[in-house]
Amino acid sequence: MSEFSLIRRYFTRATPGAVLGVGDDAALLQVSAGHVLAISTDMLVSGTHFFPDADPFLLGHKTLAVNLSDLAAMGAKPRWATLAISLPQVDDVWLERFAAGFFALAEQQGVDLVGGDTTRGPLNLCVTIMGEVPPALALRRDGAKLGDDIWVSGSLGDAALALAHLQERVVLDEAAFAACATRLHQPQPRVELGLVLRGLAHSAIDISDGLLADLGHILEASKVGAELRFDALPVSEIMSQFKDAAMVQRCILAGGDDYELCFTAPESCREALSQLAATLTLPLTRIGKVTSNAGCVVRDVQGNNMTMEAGGYDHFA
Amino acid sequence: MSEFSLIRRYFTRATPGAVLGVGDDAALLQVSAGHVLAISTDMLVSGTHFFPDADPFLLGHKTLAVNLSDLAAMGAKPRWATLAISLPQVDDVWLERFAAGFFALAEQQGVDLVGGDTTRGPLNLCVTIMGEVPPALALRRDGAKLGDDIWVSGSLGDAALALAHLQERVVLDEAAFAACATRLHQPQPRVELGLVLRGLAHSAIDISDGLLADLGHILEASKVGAELRFDALPVSEIMSQFKDAAMVQRCILAGGDDYELCFTAPESCREALSQLAATLTLPLTRIGKVTSNAGCVVRDVQGNNMTMEAGGYDHFA
């Protein structure tokens, strides 16, 4: 099985959204009139981002999902992707399952795989995702305004709780672990939400490194601060019943991998956002306000400033 | 040193050609009117594509050069790139040198680094390169016509000869090795040539896997054959004086890494191409003809069909 046959066999599908897809020196893509190209790249490494024995179907899903999440956070419509894989050896079963997971999500999201590279080496997956957005409507990190509400989608911390279970730092019962593991292994990028937030949100980011770390990027870029209410943070039934308060706090505030969106919007959008939540059947929760302070304050139910551990997940921390 | 500081310190430069560069969830890029985006991705793995102790400055150059070569082969003007790096540990000296090599070529070619990812893992470099080209002028693999001349730029095989020396399969004297090693470690992507071939060449590819393998992709995509004259193939002084005929043949026909362009053009373009060669001070050599046969025949100086070893370099062969 040669490199060329590998690419052909597993990663060549129809690319109706491309002028020219896989199989030349470069793919050719037509960006829609009035739009700019939104592009982001993410590398997933065995042993750093996933366990070496990870289910390849789920890994195919997640490799694309984490990239789609970046486009969602820009309010961009996903269109195309490239995929580079380094593999220790040719493993047909693994490749077939990985491709199945990748393409299941790609087809659901209307993404064409337009290029790639396959080579020998330690397992490493690198996706570059491309979408399009009218430039004035892009959801940037630097647009948060004093007085904006801060919102998050879905619920926070379950992926981190599943990881803690896998690392034997907590013990979950089977049903609880199964629910949390789905959040960890099959994150659902909030692409639809990103699209409808165009024109409503002032700023947005996806939560890949933990709420405080990622919201921190918005605050830094927008030169504002934030005040959050810990009891307002949306959590699952499992998280709300979990007894270890320190672990709960860590998962909610600093756990990565949930791939929810955190965004800011003016108070005038509250009604519109509530209606959107209903339409998308996706909870949208107000968790605090943009302030003129430096940094982010989290208040407990009594209004006291909670002491936090620093930051989110950082690959070189 | 955190991931965020790493990206900021070494890989954040001005991006005058981008609507929005490094530092948000995605970069935003405006493709010029009348143009399509040309995009390609390449992954370089330590131990597969380069020696673990490779000079990081040269590696920075080569990582971008091999990607630029893909755009050159499409006749696309380079504009933007993203870079994902997996590193076993933070090594400031290595990162600084790598970035210096990468940006020296990027600035020379007018390429903005608009996004990236830095993570922990075995050394792996993944670049996605983007450029633009009017779609009707793109140099595709499937455009070769019966009767076209087949051309190559520069000279063939020196990079493979340098690699053979490093692998102790041949012995070169110091000066000869130095000359060939420059071809291996600092390939010069033929970007200018690709741009001027718009409207002249019927098809093009860059030679990364060896002349026969890469020309084979043109022939397959264009559903034609080829006849080459071995003595017409352009080689350096060093190669022409090298004694091991089997090694010479292997380097010229199946050696990768020269990153020259192979292209086909109608006979009516001969004069224009000769003038271009003079203007660019880059040799352009006619090496054969497109035929209606299946596959590629190489004839020796007596006109006999030479027996070849198969193919080029294939990462899973």
Side-chain angles (χ1 to χ4, degrees), chain A:
Chain A
M1 170 69 63
S2 80
E3 179 184 0
F4 307 116
S5 349
L6 271 183
I7 293 171
R8 252 197 302 260
R9 180 182 295 186
Y10 294 109
F11 298 111
T12 307
R13 305 274 174 110
T15 55
V19 177
L20 182 67
V22 174
D24 213 303
D25 295 293
L28 299 178
L29 310 175
Q30 179 73 61
V31 177
S32 301
H35 290 65
V36 291
L37 185 84
I39 181 163
S40 177
T41 196
D42 262 308
M43 182 176 262
L44 275 73
V45 180
S46 179
T48 303
H49 300 89
F50 57 88
F51 294 97
D53 63 350
D55 177 338
F57 183 91
L58 297 179
L59 195 55
H61 172 98
K62 186 164 180 175
T63 302
L64 183 58
V66 301
N67 277 278
L68 286 166
S69 182
D70 283 316
L71 287 191
M74 289 306 281
K77 182 172 166 50
R79 297 286 311 272
W80 310 284
T82 64
L83 169 65
I85 304 186
S86 166
L87 279 173
Q89 69 277 318
V90 174
D91 177 337
D92 276 79
V93 174
W94 193 95
L95 279 164
E96 191 174 349
R97 295 266 307 156
F98 179 87
F102 186 95
F103 282 111
L105 183 58
E107 280 160 23
Q108 180 202 315
Q109 295 285 345
V111 170
D112 286 347
L113 184 68
V114 295
D117 194 10
T118 319
T119 189
R120 188 185 297 282
L123 185 55
N124 183 308
L125 307 159
C126 186
V127 167
T128 301
I129 188 87
M130 285 156 285
E132 48 188 27
V133 59
L137 299 180
L139 307 174
R140 298 164 58 142
R141 294 183 181 178
D142 60 4
K145 301 266 182 296
L146 194 64
D148 274 0
D149 292 321
I150 301 171
W151 298 76
V152 293
S153 63
S155 63
L156 298 174
D158 281 1
L161 196 60
L163 185 63
H165 175 91
L166 289 170
Q167 294 172 333
E168 299 181 355
R169 294 183 289 122
V170 303
V171 178
L172 298 174
D173 68 41
E174 203 172 321
F177 173 68
C180 293
T182 299
R183 294 299 308 267
L184 179 64
H185 297 312
Q186 276 196 298
Q188 298 301 315
R190 302 306 188 189
V191 173
E192 272 190 291
L193 175 60
L195 293 176
V196 296
L197 287 180
R198 289 179 181 177
L200 293 176
H202 282 159
S203 69
I205 196 167
D206 69 320
I207 304 177
S208 55
D209 294 321
L211 175 63
L212 291 190
D214 289 316
L215 175 58
H217 295 312
I218 288 184
L219 303 182
E220 193 187 347
S222 302
K223 301 184 175 63
V224 293
E227 195 162 314
L228 303 183
R229 288 170 298 120
F230 186 77
D231 62 307
L233 297 174
V235 295
S236 68
E237 193 71 16
I238 292 159
M239 186 67 77
S240 71
Q241 289 171 9
F242 199 73
K243 301 295 179 202
D244 178 346
M247 175 62 71
V248 166
Q249 191 176 315
R250 201 174 309 129
C251 288
I252 295 175
L253 294 173
D257 266 351
D258 282 314
Y259 296 98
E260 297 293 352
L261 294 191
C262 175
F263 57 96
T264 77
E267 291 187 4
S268 58
C269 290
R270 286 183 184 176
E271 181 58 28
L273 287 166
S274 297
Q275 285 177 12
L276 279 179
T279 310
L280 297 176
T281 59
L282 175 67
L284 298 178
T285 308
R286 276 192 290 126
I287 62 171
K289 298 288 290 181
V290 173
T291 67
S292 56
N293 304 331
C296 182
V297 172
V298 184
R299 299 211 180 275
D300 66 17
V301 74
Q302 284 86 32
N304 299 317
N305 189 346
M306 293 168 71
T307 307
M308 289 305 134
E309 295 177 38
Y313 184 69
D314 185 323
H315 299 301
F316 282 109

